[in-house]
Amino acid sequence: MVQGNLGIEPEVLKSIYGQMVRIRAVDKAIQAGLSAGKFTFTYWPMTGQENIPATISQLTTARDYMVTTYRGIHDQVAKGVDLYGMFAEALGREGGLNKGKGGSPHISDPSSGSMVTTAIVGAGPVIANGLAISAKERGEDRVTIVNFGDGATSIGPVHEAMNLAGVWKLPIIFLCQNNQWGEYTPIETYTASPNFFGRAQALGFRGVQLDGNDPAAFYNGMKEVIESVRAGNGPVFVEALTYRMGPHAGVGDNYNAAKDILAAAKERAPVEKTRSLLLDAGICTEDELSAVEAAAKAEVEDAIARAMTSPVTPASETLVDVFADATCVPTRGIYPVREAEGEFPGPTATMTMATAITDAQDVAMAANPEVFLLGEDVGDPQGGAFGTNKGLQTKFGKNRVRNTPISESAIIGAAIGSSIAGMNPIAEIMFADFMGVCLDQIANHAAKQRYMSGSATHAPLTIRMQVGGAIGGFGAQHSQNLEAWLTHVPGIKVLFPSNPVDAKGMLLSAINDPDPVVVLESIMLLFTQKAEVPTGDYRIPLGVAKVKREGTDVTLISYGFELHNCLAAAEELAKEGISAEVIDLRSLVPIDYHRVLESVKKTGRAVVVHAAVEFCGLGAEICSTINEELWGQLKAPAIRLGADYAPIAYSREIEMSQVPGAAAIVSRVRASLKS
């Protein structure tokens, strides 16, 4: 064979092989170390897939974004991730790329362009869309490549991501490394599709199938694809055919594969084939290749040796990186005193809560071009299901206010990815009930990104959700108060305003916060509450409760629309000579236990009220804290009042009885006074 027939420049082929042997050296070292008991961590081998990232490394730079999966250690090596930092991370050491907090399945290394590694199958593409949005909006020529296996093509977010990318013509490559196995299951037993690249055509953009084991063919195919995407021609789906020769997890051969099929795959393995090609074509000598291989082995051995000496990440790091500010973490016995907002100077205007929410977004978008809004029907003329965004698309344009498909995972994923890239997205979820559709993106990605990356990356997005309940007619799937789902997930801040002034000021704080924040907006209050609201930019600090009514006999603690029921109950109690202090929590995480406890010290009694189901609700947590901290000072145990343990009924009569109203609160207070 002569060099002219290679179909690829000899120097490029040599460089590809150099990356392949680095990947192979990492693979061998890990498998040897695990087998010998030298170290212990979960490993998902990519043996046989080395050519794919090795080739891509010759066509991209650190400026280009990459998202990959827990099996993507080969992608990390080729992307330029520091090997010492990578091994230290896998070993849970302080010197790890992410301080040992994410491990190999969660590497983030912005310096190399390795932005997100997800351990959730199929979750990466929706986040990668957000990275691509940021590049497109900033006029950058970055390409985003999201890697996933063939098994991920069966999961919904992959389809959602492809659909959104096609509609918005995003500069993204969906790279399916088709290794013929979905974990332990071969392709023919989980799909009837003849291929995967054809799915792109059904969604309106191009798909190609390339030989992922042939460096020349893959290089030329990917070169054209990357150039096309970089030029702004929209997304491309690449199905890279290869074969995973190892098991789903662990070491050794793929024991699920038939022996003859595995033997044939080994004959086509890219490392060995490329080595022979370099020798046969006269590009390299045996000594030259041996030197390249020895250098790779030495590099890996040195990285592992240094990683093994790095200290184990200590327990003192436990609460660091949950939030940007560790004092926001709810911690037993530690109740920070946060300064409340002062008087807001300047002009005001009469606003409903809905108008105040719109105004907050208007102020934020005018101040910062990196703030944008996305969600279902958020554009004009509708302005969202409840009109909380009216006029914003007309004022700021369709790129700043983006109507999306009905696709909650794609919405939240895009918001996460763009926020990781430094933008400040506001994602609207039409009803809080629909959180269940995209809970993976909220709880496993937005909430955990800062922690898993050791603050190398973070996701400063805002998620707005409308909340039903006690209105009647919405039924069981549009009326749930699900704040306890969110407060139980470390890494998410949760706000629940009760009036227009707080709605605007807290939303502006959320948009400018360094952490993911969910703002829950009560549908009942959107148009029933009016107030004089400052017209400019002002902030309500997070984690600061407010005394809405002073009292001496009992403290009523609530938030959202139930706060108004508590105020109404306090009026009724006053007629009986009972003085109730009413506290609006406003912020559920971080929570202002200091002001709550100071109030209950004064009154000696507490009733926590929420519209969410009482069983396992936030009220139980607050009552427990009050009872623990003030035991011996209370006149009666703190008690809670929430909704009955049943789905919200369509029948208005049932719903009004199962969600606490003023009369039920009065009754509960009376019970407390009898204790």
Side-chain angles (χ1 to χ4, degrees):
M1 184 180 292
V2 295
Q3 293 184 17
N5 295 332
L6 288 174
I8 186 173
E9 290 295 321
E11 289 303 313
V12 173
L13 187 61
K14 285 172 62 177
S15 296
I16 291 173
Y17 183 71
Q19 286 287 14
M20 282 193 205
V21 296
R22 291 180 72 241
I23 294 168
R24 178 61 65 86
V26 167
D27 187 26
K28 283 185 173 180
I30 292 175
Q31 297 209 37
L34 292 173
S35 298
K38 182 178 180 180
F39 40 70
T40 302
F41 55 81
T42 305
Y43 182 53
W44 300 270
M46 42 63 223
T47 319
Q49 299 177 219
E50 300 88 353
N51 177 59
I52 295 170
T55 298
I56 291 171
S57 72
Q58 306 306 303
L59 298 165
T60 56
T61 71
R63 291 188 70 255
D64 295 309
Y65 292 135
M66 182 187 78
V67 174
T68 191
T69 74
Y70 56 89
R71 192 184 300 284
I73 199 164
H74 58 320
D75 300 322
Q76 308 285 6
V77 174
K79 193 71 174 76
V81 167
D82 176 68
L83 295 191
Y84 159 71
M86 185 184 75
F87 279 113
E89 185 63 30
L91 292 166
R93 306 299 176 98
E94 280 186 323
L97 287 165
N98 308 120
K99 297 161 59 174
K101 291 186 171 183
S104 61
H106 304 115
I107 285 173
S108 294
D109 180 40
S111 66
S112 68
S114 177
M115 303 302 290
V116 174
T117 305
T118 175
I120 309 294
V121 172
V126 289
I127 297 172
N129 274 347
L131 295 167
I133 288 170
S134 72
K136 185 171 183 178
E137 286 306 297
R138 292 166 174 168
E140 300 169 338
D141 67 348
R142 299 179 197 255
V143 169
T144 297
I145 298 178
V146 54
N147 296 276
F148 51 92
D150 52 280
T153 61
S154 299
I155 203 164
V158 174
H159 299 265
E160 292 188 36
M162 290 170 63
N163 185 54
L164 192 73
V167 170
W168 291 351
K169 299 190 184 316
L170 298 179
I172 185 170
I173 297 169
F174 296 95
L175 181 54
C176 174
Q177 297 191 27
N178 182 355
N179 63 24
Q180 314 299 313
W181 290 89
E183 297 191 354
Y184 298 100
T185 306
I187 290 174
E188 61 272 15
T189 63
Y190 70 72
T191 182
S193 297
N195 57 58
F196 297 115
F197 75 94
R199 298 181 183 185
Q201 184 176 358
L203 292 171
F205 64 96
R206 185 161 64 107
V208 298
Q209 188 179 71
L210 301 174
D211 186 345
N213 281 13
D214 184 326
F218 192 66
Y219 177 85
N220 291 317
M222 284 302 297
K223 185 173 188 293
E224 186 277 326
V225 166
I226 290 171
E227 288 175 351
S228 174
V229 173
R230 204 182 295 281
N233 296 321
V236 178
F237 186 102
V238 175
E239 180 181 0
L241 297 174
T242 184
Y243 198 86
R244 192 190 79 213
M245 294 189 293
H248 168 58
V251 300
D253 283 343
N254 184 345
Y255 51 80
N256 292 109
K259 290 183 179 180
D260 58 332
I261 294 176
L262 183 59
K266 288 183 176 181
E267 289 293 322
R268 300 190 301 272
V271 176
E272 290 74 15
K273 277 184 63 177
T274 305
R275 191 181 199 282
S276 296
L277 183 59
L278 289 167
L279 290 172
D280 293 345
I283 298 171
C284 296
T285 66
E286 179 67 41
D287 287 345
E288 288 173 329
L289 293 182
S290 295
V292 169
E293 292 152 7
K297 183 180 179 183
E299 179 189 8
V300 171
E301 288 176 346
D302 173 68
I304 292 175
R306 288 189 291 128
M308 294 289 285
T309 65
S310 177
V312 173
T313 306
S316 60
E317 280 281 322
T318 301
L319 301 184
V320 179
D321 302 313
V322 176
F323 295 117
D325 178 0
T327 68
C328 291
V329 177
T331 308
R332 184 186 292 117
I334 301 176
Y335 309 116
V337 183
R338 298 185 179 89
E339 187 175 349
E341 71 274 16
E343 294 295 319
F344 302 122
T348 64
T350 303
M351 298 184 195
T352 64
M353 193 158 158
T355 308
I357 291 165
T358 306
D359 195 48
Q361 295 176 116
D362 190 347
V363 169
M365 293 175 76
N368 182 0
E370 298 272 76
V371 176
F372 72 100
L373 171 65
L374 71 164
E376 297 159 14
D377 307 314
V378 296
D380 292 329
Q382 185 65 29
F386 299 96
T388 52
N389 317 298
K390 274 187 180 295
L392 295 177
Q393 189 178 66
T394 300
K395 182 174 182 178
F396 294 101
K398 292 184 177 180
N399 287 352
R400 298 285 302 282
V401 180
R402 291 174 173 258
N403 277 334
T404 67
I406 300 173
S407 191
E408 282 79 12
S409 287
I411 294 167
I412 301 302
I416 293 170
S418 59
S419 71
I420 289 173
M423 300 186 80
N424 296 94
I426 307 166
E428 181 178 288
I429 299 298
M430 193 179 293
F431 282 84
D433 312 67
F434 303 166
M435 175 183 13
V437 182
C438 54
L439 193 58
D440 169 56
Q441 288 296 318
I442 297 172
N444 282 324
H445 293 90
K448 295 180 173 65
Q449 188 60 35
R450 178 184 289 280
Y451 197 81
M452 293 190 304
S453 73
S455 289
T457 54
H458 64 289
L461 72 153
T462 302
I463 305 172
R464 294 177 40 237
M465 298 183 187
Q466 280 89 41
V467 183
I471 298 173
F474 279 148
Q477 295 178 342
H478 287 72
S479 305
Q480 299 170 90
N481 282 253
L482 299 171
E483 63 270 16
W485 285 14
L486 296 164
T487 59
H488 197 66
V489 178
I492 303 175
K493 293 176 178 174
V494 185
L495 314 180
F496 209 147
S498 66
N499 60 79
V501 175
D502 286 354
K504 179 179 176 181
M506 292 171 73
L507 180 53
L508 281 165
S509 291
I511 294 168
N512 290 280
D513 196 87
D515 296 306
V517 183
V518 175
V519 183
L520 299 166
E521 302 165 358
S522 173
I523 297 167
M524 176 185 284
L525 302 179
L526 287 178
F527 303 102
T528 60
Q529 294 295 306
K530 289 186 179 181
E532 288 299 307
V533 179
T535 56
D537 186 348
Y538 68 95
R539 312 287 170 86
I540 302 289
L542 307 189
V544 177
K546 189 168 187 176
V547 176
K548 302 293 286 188
R549 178 187 176 115
E550 293 192 355
T552 57
D553 297 326
V554 63
T555 301
L556 299 179
I557 304 158
S558 194
Y559 48 88
F561 74 79
E562 284 290 3
L563 186 279
H564 298 277
N565 285 332
C566 286
L567 289 170
E571 288 289 334
E572 288 300 310
L573 290 165
K575 296 174 184 177
E576 303 175 19
I578 301 169
S579 175
E581 183 148 298
V582 180
I583 292 185
D584 187 350
L585 283 178
R586 305 196 291 186
S587 173
L588 309 185
V589 178
I591 188 168
D592 189 355
Y593 271 132
H594 170 74
R595 286 176 172 82
V596 168
L597 293 172
E598 288 301 303
S599 175
V600 181
K601 283 178 187 177
K602 178 177 66 173
T603 64
R605 293 180 175 87
V607 179
V608 185
V609 182
H610 52 64
V613 170
E614 184 174 291
F615 181 75
C616 289
L618 184 60
E621 162 63 30
I622 297 171
C623 286
S624 178
T625 298
I626 293 170
N627 290 332
E628 286 182 21
E629 293 296 326
L630 302 182
W631 182 253
Q633 303 178 55
L634 297 173
K635 298 172 185 175
I639 57 177
R640 73 225 192 264
L641 177 62
D644 293 337
Y645 190 80
I648 298 297
Y650 184 79
S651 162
R652 181 174 175 80
E653 182 174 350
I654 296 176
E655 182 176 356
M656 293 306 107
S657 70
Q658 67 187 125
V659 177
I665 297 169
V666 169
S667 177
R668 199 81 173 107
V669 170
R670 288 176 183 149
S672 175
L673 290 168
K674 291 177 182 178
S675 299

